[in-house]
Amino acid sequence: MSQVFNFSAGPAMIYPEVLAQAQAELTNWLGQGVSVMEVSHRGKLFMELIKQAEADIRELYRIPDNYRVLFLQGGARGQFAAIPMNLIGKKGKALYLNSGHWSATAAKEARNFAEIDEINIVHNDNGISRIGSLDFSDIAENYDYVHYCPNETISGVEINEIPNVGNGVLVADMSSNVLSRHIDISKFGVIYAGAQKNLGPAGILLLIIRDDLIGHARQATPSIWNYAVQRDADSMINTPPTFAWYLCSLVFKHILSIGGLDVIAQRNAVKAQTLYDYIDSSKLYRNNVAKENRSIMNVTFVTGDPELDAQFVAEATAAGLQALKGHKVLGGMRASIYNAMPLAGVEALIEFMKAFEAKHAK
Ligand SMILES: *Cc1c(COP(=O)(O)O)cnc(C)c1O
């Protein structure tokens, strides 16, 4: 088979080096003669694995000591409910910043559990999406927390500035841009991210939470989503997705081995800039996001003709450039270029786009 590049938005590509290592030790993990999937999650070797995985992500992300790291199930969707169940307290309400599909979906779910106020922060400027002011310091403390989504995976809108919530609590759904660059964790109360974009396979979720926010869950919170219960049980109140956890641990090690988030951030910036520069220079393709809010992870573009978009996707797929179809709510194309996508993948995409443009530009 000729070289394939997988631009899937999620589950997304995983580093080939990680898959090769998993393959090599699949039937014989650490000389045990069995796979990592077939041993007790409470056994010595697996407990060592999760301890090391936590140490590695703490090092990678410079997570301060007053934050806990949990690995949970139920994906980001589970957290859309778990966040209000755990964090709604004295103030009885939360503020949701709406920037697109995922932040809106989070707010909708949260309404099942609490009074929610919503503020739209994405504006349409002659067809261009732009994020407005993010200073909520005057109102944030009226709420138990302020929730936002720093990278809207579907529209390709990224919010680089951290919203100002004064002494309020900021909660972020980082499912599609976690570990894509350094961030100041201390600005956040909670960060959560489903694994299947930048961390590993589907089935596990990373939650980083400030100590003092744990322990206030409402009575009716299921134990598996009660942060205090999970903290006290090493994120193992029930059998965890051990294989997914193991693969995440290999991804963390791999990122450390190539130089950590400084290297990752630099590579991501080059990949995204290269692709956006080409799109901006082309006569056929257009991206509809303001430059300062263009996602470095999910690059959306259209030709302006839905039939031509469909033809683009079909021909790209045949050429080994997979999963470029935009999300069904938006149409067009989307190239997801998460951490594991090499620059060579972006270059191959641009070569294809140029050839397609040469045939179809008017
Ligand atoms: C993919 C994605 C989700 C959904 O994640 P699940 O793990 O499938 O629940 C939520 N938020 C964002 C920003 C995403 O990219």
Side-chain angles (χ1 to χ4, degrees):
M1 198 156 92
S2 62
Q3 168 106 52
V4 159
F5 289 107
N6 175 13
F7 295 92
S8 172
M13 76 169 285
I14 294 176
Y15 288 104
E17 296 90 338
V18 165
L19 294 179
Q21 183 180 346
Q23 181 179 43
E25 55 193 30
L26 185 66
T27 58
N28 184 7
W29 181 58
L30 302 178
Q32 301 301 294
V34 293
S35 80
V36 66
M37 283 177 278
E38 302 164 293
V39 297
S40 167
H41 53 290
R42 286 269 168 208
K44 181 168 172 288
L45 287 176
F46 197 80
M47 290 301 286
E48 278 172 17
L49 179 154
I50 68 162
K51 214 170 141 212
Q52 190 60 47
E54 176 171 342
D56 288 345
I57 193 155
R58 281 186 175 279
E59 181 182 345
L60 271 174
Y61 232 176
R62 300 179 188 148
I63 298 175
D65 289 344
N66 62 324
Y67 284 74
R68 301 274 70 77
V69 176
L70 303 181
F71 288 89
L72 305 175
Q73 298 179 61
R77 281 271 186 166
Q79 292 308 310
F80 291 175
I83 294 283
M85 285 192 280
N86 280 272
L87 298 189
I88 291 289
K90 290 196 189 75
K91 293 160 188 165
K93 58 181 184 173
L95 177 63
Y96 277 67
L97 308 181
N98 185 338
S99 54
H101 177 87
W102 286 117
S103 51
T105 309
K108 184 161 179 262
E109 181 74 4
R111 283 187 195 283
N112 294 326
F113 304 93
E115 184 186 334
I116 302 296
D117 286 346
E118 252 180 274
I119 295 180
N120 181 36
I121 56 167
V122 65
H123 305 286
N124 186 322
D125 240 352
N126 292 321
I128 300 294
S129 299
R130 188 184 302 279
I131 296 295
S133 160
L134 294 173
D135 186 356
F136 302 97
S137 51
D138 53 337
I139 55 169
E141 287 173 59
N142 301 332
Y143 298 94
D144 285 310
Y145 63 91
V146 178
H147 179 281
Y148 84 120
C149 178
N151 188 63
E152 287 283 1
T153 321
I154 291 177
S155 52
V157 170
E158 189 156 1
I159 303 169
N160 294 304
E161 179 190 343
I162 298 177
N164 181 359
V165 296
N167 291 320
V169 173
L170 186 63
V171 176
D173 173 4
M174 287 200 192
S175 293
S176 54
N177 68 345
V178 65
L179 286 192
S180 61
R181 58 186 166 86
H182 275 300
I183 46 164
D184 181 355
I185 304 277
S186 72
K187 294 265 198 303
F188 296 85
V190 180
I191 290 168
Y192 63 97
Q196 66 271 24
K197 281 107 187 199
N198 252 349
L199 304 177
I204 197 161
L205 170 128
L206 170 72
L207 185 102
I208 302 169
I209 180 168
R210 213 175 61 212
D211 274 332
D212 61 289
L213 298 172
I214 304 181
H216 313 292
R218 67 183 59 188
Q219 189 62 36
T221 304
S223 301
I224 60 158
W225 284 333
N226 183 312
Y227 300 151
V229 172
Q230 288 286 22
R231 174 200 57 198
D232 296 342
D234 306 310
S235 303
M236 289 185 183
I237 172 79
N238 68 329
T239 314
T242 51
F243 192 63
W245 209 335
Y246 154 80
L247 282 172
C248 290
S249 80
L250 298 187
V251 170
F252 301 158
K253 274 267 177 279
H254 179 71
I255 296 177
L256 280 169
S257 79
I258 60 177
L261 292 196
D262 293 337
V263 170
I264 291 286
Q266 201 265 340
R267 286 185 187 177
N268 285 337
V270 170
K271 285 185 293 177
Q273 194 63 49
T274 306
L275 187 47
Y276 284 119
D277 281 350
Y278 167 66
I279 291 171
D280 288 342
S281 75
S282 103
K283 291 190 175 55
L284 183 62
Y285 312 104
R286 192 173 76 239
N287 166 272
N288 293 327
V289 183
K291 285 203 170 125
E292 64 273 24
N293 298 122
R294 285 174 166 179
S295 170
I296 61 165
M297 300 274 97
N298 310 98
V299 178
T300 53
F301 55 98
V302 292
T303 64
D305 171 357
E307 272 178 36
L308 198 55
D309 289 350
Q311 190 183 339
F312 178 97
V313 171
E315 289 182 22
T317 307
L321 304 171
Q322 296 181 351
L324 285 163
K325 190 170 192 285
H327 191 278
K328 60 180 185 292
V329 305
L330 214 68
M333 279 75 77
R334 171 176 54 177
S336 293
I337 50 172
Y338 297 118
N339 288 354
M341 176 61 67
L343 180 60
V346 171
E347 288 169 345
L349 172 60
I350 292 173
E351 282 315 303
F352 175 84
M353 290 171 77
K354 282 183 179 164
F356 191 86
E357 171 164 358
K359 275 188 281 175
H360 297 283
K362 291 185 189 83

